[in-house]
């Protein structure tokens, strides 16, 4: 019987089966590329050789059993069947397992399926996955979610525009054929309000860690922003090239201002916090001057005069950054127009008797154009006017025409100035750079383009900056002579004073750059260049109150009137006397007619024209009565002098 047992145990050992509880414990299936643990149990003490056989070949290892156990971490890299053989004094132990091919990441309705499990994602139009080594990327809208195929880790990347596709690299194709690497560089936001709405829902669902890019904070309710949020918001704005001297037309900024207004009574501290953030980072937005003025008045009424003074004084600096105010231009144009019509009517009526007398032999006032057209041109009513009256008529006509042109150019420039791509508070967006390249290459435009390219192409930018002598361009050249010249041109500019260590404005030390007024003046020059290149087409495109059908006639009428005024300078003055009674009657009716050749007569004519406009607007006849009173007084004094 004992011999039989000995033979049975020897037979079992020969087969490599566990003896007396000795065993190797491994999982039946593992993922290739992931680690696994091999465990030995109930083993004798000591070091023993072990052979691992798999699809890649054979590998010899050594394990040490302590207290009858050992654990060894294995890393099967290739899918297939693996065999483990451990040599012991009593025989060999064997174990087998299968390494499965790693599961391919896959987007499902529930989320992103990964080898380690499921990453839940909020519903929406997710793109991907893009697999780059162990990293997996999916995206929706402005957000890229990065995770690992091996372990449960996450990273979030915010794109500056809507993502259309993910590419190996990794990189992203953005709206507008714009390709950027992932992680994204810190460039300005160029997306749309709809993109921010999608981003807001993703942030609410995924709650990525802060700080975020500045535009991500626009998706939140401004009343929920903490001081830390506002600090991160502002610092990211500055880091991405935004400047307080430029215009911010984004709805997110307007929402912050509106929230500050509404919170003044409910939560004054939060209202002041938002107002200070707006003043520090985005001070130029629609209605910003009125907003800061109202904030200052509120603080003053609440007994905080020092804080109110901060907003009052900052508002004064902001006005120097804004385009010139031309609110009085329409009234000035109407005044000039009435004065011009009044002068031309006066000259026509005053010299009409003498003109009719001279025209009688050649067919009369109208008939002369048919019977003797060339001779009739010699009897134009301005041919009877004095040289001073002809010059005054031309000067009023040119002033009226240039004023009307300025009104159209100003409206055109302001429409561009407060619209994309110039309403983003920076020139360093791709759209702004592309737009600047479409403008006529004036020195000022080159300087703006040089500033826009300074961070990404400094060599090209410096070449462009040397084309112009604008203060910010001089200050960015980097040499002392240019900086001194910049200070002489703009001694109150904060960045230039900072560079010279002469102090700084409330917005702190920053790189010299263009203000909104600089942009306005540059675009005004651009529009003038375009007008010179193609006068008719550019005049038709001007933003004027004239109806479309009337514009060609106005354009033609201007050149005909200008030709008429210039032609009269070539005509000798007709010396036919004017009847004294008639001349006195006409002069009584037209203010300033006693001295049109002098500055006082012109001033009185303009004053009367303004008075007539005020009367038509319902402001009373005071100005008109005063103008006629002065005119009649001068007339009486003149008659007494001559008598």
């Amino acid at each position: 019987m004992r011999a039989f047992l000995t033979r049975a145990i020897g037979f079992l050992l020969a087969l490599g089966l566990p003896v007396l509880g000795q065993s190797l414990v491994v999982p039946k299936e593992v993922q290739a590329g992931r680690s696994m643990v091999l465990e030995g149990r109930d083993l004798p003490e000591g070091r023993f050789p072990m052979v691992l056989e798999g699809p890649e070949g054979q590998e010899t290892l050594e394990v040490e059993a302590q207290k009858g156990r050992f654990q060894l971490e294995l890393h099967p890299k290739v899918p297939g069947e693996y065999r483990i053989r451990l040599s012991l004094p009593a025989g060999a132990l064997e174990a087998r397992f299968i390494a499965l091919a790693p599961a391919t990441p896959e987007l499902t309705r529930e989320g992103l399926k990964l080898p380690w499990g499921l990453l839940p994602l909020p519903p929406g139009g997710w793109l991907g996955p893009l697999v780059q080594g162990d990293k997996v990327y999916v995206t929706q809208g402005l957000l890229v979610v990065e995770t690992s195929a091996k372990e449960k880790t996450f990273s979030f990347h915010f794109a500056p525009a809507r993502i259309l596709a993910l590419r190996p690299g990794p990189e992203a194709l953005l709206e507008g054929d714009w390709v950027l690497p992932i992680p994204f560089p810190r460039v300005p936001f160029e997306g749309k309000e709809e993109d921010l709405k999608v981003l807001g829902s993703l942030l609410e669902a995924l709650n990525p860690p802060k700080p975020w890019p500045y535009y991500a904070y626009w998706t939140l309710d401004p009343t929920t922003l903490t001081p830390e949020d506002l600090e991160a918001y502002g610092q990211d704005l500055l880091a991405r090239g935004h400047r307080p001297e430029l215009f911010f037309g984004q709805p997110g900024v307007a929402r912050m201002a509106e929230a500050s207004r509404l919170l003044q009574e409910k939560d004054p501290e939060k209202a002041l916090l938002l107002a200070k953030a707006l003043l520090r980072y985005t001070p130029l937005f629609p209605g910003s001057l009125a907003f800061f003025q109202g904030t200052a008045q509120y603080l003053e009424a609440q007994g905080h005069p020092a804080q109110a003074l901060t907003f009052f004084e900052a508002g004064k600096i902001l006005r120097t950054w804004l385009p010139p105010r031309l609110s009085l231009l329409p009234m000035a144009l109407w005044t000039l127009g009435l004065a011009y019509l009044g002068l031309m009517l006066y000259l026509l009526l005053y010299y009409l008797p003498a003109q009719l007398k001279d025209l009688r032999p050649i067919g009369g006032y109208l008939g002369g154009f048919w019977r003797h057209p060339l001779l009739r041109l010699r009897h134009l009513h301005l041919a009877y006017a004095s040289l001073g009256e002809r010059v005054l008529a031309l000067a009023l006509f040119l002033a009226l025409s240039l004023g009307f042109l300025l009104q159209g150019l100003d409206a055109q420039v302001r429409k561009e100035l407060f619209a994309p791509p110039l309403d983003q508070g920076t020139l360093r967006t791709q759209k702004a750079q592309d737009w600047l390249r479409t403008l006529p290459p004036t020195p000022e435009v080159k300087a703006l383009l040089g500033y826009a390219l300074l961070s990404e192409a400094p060599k090209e930018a410096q070449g462009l900056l040397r084309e112009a002598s604008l203060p910010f361009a001089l200050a960015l050249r980097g040499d002392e002579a240019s900086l001194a010249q910049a200070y002489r041109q703009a001694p109150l500019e904060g960045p230039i004073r900072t560079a010279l260590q002469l102090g700084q404005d409330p917005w702190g030390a920053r790189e010299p750059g263009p203000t909104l007024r600089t942009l306005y003046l540059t675009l005004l020059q651009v529009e003038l260049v375009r007008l010179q290149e193609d006068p008719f087409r550019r005049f038709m495109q001007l933003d004027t109150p004239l109806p479309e059908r009337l514009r060609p006639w106005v354009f033609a009428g201007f050149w005909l009137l200008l030709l008429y005024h210039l032609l009269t300078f070539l005509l000798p003055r007709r010396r036919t006397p004017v009847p004294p009674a008639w001349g006195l009657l006409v002069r009584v009716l037209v203010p300033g007619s006693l001295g049109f050749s002098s500055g006082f007569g012109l001033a009185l004519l303009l004053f009367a024209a303004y008075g007539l406009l005020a009367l038509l607007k319902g402001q009373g006849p005071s100005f008109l009565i005063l103008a006629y009173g002065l005119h009649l007084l001068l007339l009486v004094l003149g008659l007494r002098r001559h008598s």
Side-chain angles (χ1 to χ4, degrees), residues 195-373:
D195 302 327
L196 292 178
K197 292 179 181 178
V198 175
L199 178 62
S201 62
L202 294 177
L203 295 178
E204 185 178 357
L206 298 174
N207 193 26
K210 295 178 180 179
W212 299 337
Y214 68 88
Y215 49 89
Y217 291 99
W218 286 337
T219 66
L220 303 178
D221 183 353
T223 61
T224 65
L225 296 176
T226 65
E228 292 76 20
D229 290 338
L230 292 173
E231 180 67 20
Y233 163 79
Q235 292 306 314
D236 191 65
L237 266 170
L238 300 178
R240 292 173 186 262
H242 290 272
R243 294 189 59 85
E245 295 94 340
L246 299 178
F247 182 72
F248 292 82
Q250 298 93 334
V253 177
R255 284 195 293 270
M256 290 175 66
E258 184 61 27
S260 178
R261 287 192 194 96
L262 296 176
L263 288 172
Q264 284 183 351
E265 299 299 331
K266 300 177 183 177
D267 191 347
E269 290 186 7
K270 178 57 72 68
L272 181 59
L273 190 68
L274 289 173
K276 285 182 176 179
L278 288 166
L279 181 62
R280 184 179 177 189
Y281 302 116
T282 58
L284 296 180
F285 55 87
S288 61
L289 288 183
F291 169 76
F292 293 130
Q293 181 79 8
T295 301
Q297 292 172 350
Y298 170 77
L299 289 171
E300 204 167 39
Q302 296 298 312
H304 303 289
Q307 295 185 33
L309 193 60
T310 300
F311 286 91
F312 277 128
E313 292 302 313
K316 294 179 182 179
I317 301 177
L318 293 180
R319 287 184 180 89
T320 66
W321 295 347
L322 292 173
R325 294 184 63 187
L326 299 180
S327 56
L328 299 178
L329 184 58
M331 191 66 173
L333 287 179
W334 279 105
T335 302
L336 283 172
L338 283 177
Y340 174 72
L341 291 176
L343 175 63
M344 295 296 284
L345 183 61
Y346 162 76
L347 294 176
L348 174 65
L349 295 176
Y350 185 80
Y351 295 110
L352 186 60
Q355 189 181 20
L356 291 176
K357 182 179 178 181
D358 290 344
L359 287 174
R360 195 175 297 118
I362 63 171
Y365 192 87
L366 295 176
F369 285 109
W370 300 102
R371 294 179 59 183
H372 301 282

Side-chain angles (χ1 to χ4, degrees), residues 61-82:
L61 305 170
E62 187 179 66
V63 297
E64 181 180 3
Q66 296 180 351
K67 297 182 180 180
R69 301 171 63 87
F70 77 86
Q71 286 186 342
L72 180 65
E73 189 174 351
L74 301 177
H75 302 274
K77 298 178 181 179
V78 179
E81 184 177 7
Y82 287 79

Side-chain angles (χ1 to χ4, degrees), residues 335-412:
T335 302
L336 283 172
L338 283 177
Y340 174 72
L341 291 176
L343 175 63
M344 295 296 284
L345 183 61
Y346 162 76
L347 294 176
L348 174 65
L349 295 176
Y350 185 80
Y351 295 110
L352 186 60
Q355 189 181 20
L356 291 176
K357 182 179 178 181
D358 290 344
L359 287 174
R360 195 175 297 118
I362 63 171
Y365 192 87
L366 295 176
F369 285 109
W370 300 102
R371 294 179 59 183
H372 301 282
L374 293 178
L375 189 58
R376 176 64 180 83
L377 290 177
R378 297 179 61 185
H379 294 274
L380 296 173
H381 78 276
L382 280 184
Y384 292 82
S386 66
L387 179 62
E389 291 169 337
R390 297 184 196 188
V391 170
L392 179 59
L394 177 62
L396 282 176
F397 174 71
L398 290 178
L400 176 62
S401 302
L402 292 175
F404 183 78
L405 182 62
L406 176 61
Q407 185 185 40
L409 292 174
D410 173 75
Q412 187 76 15

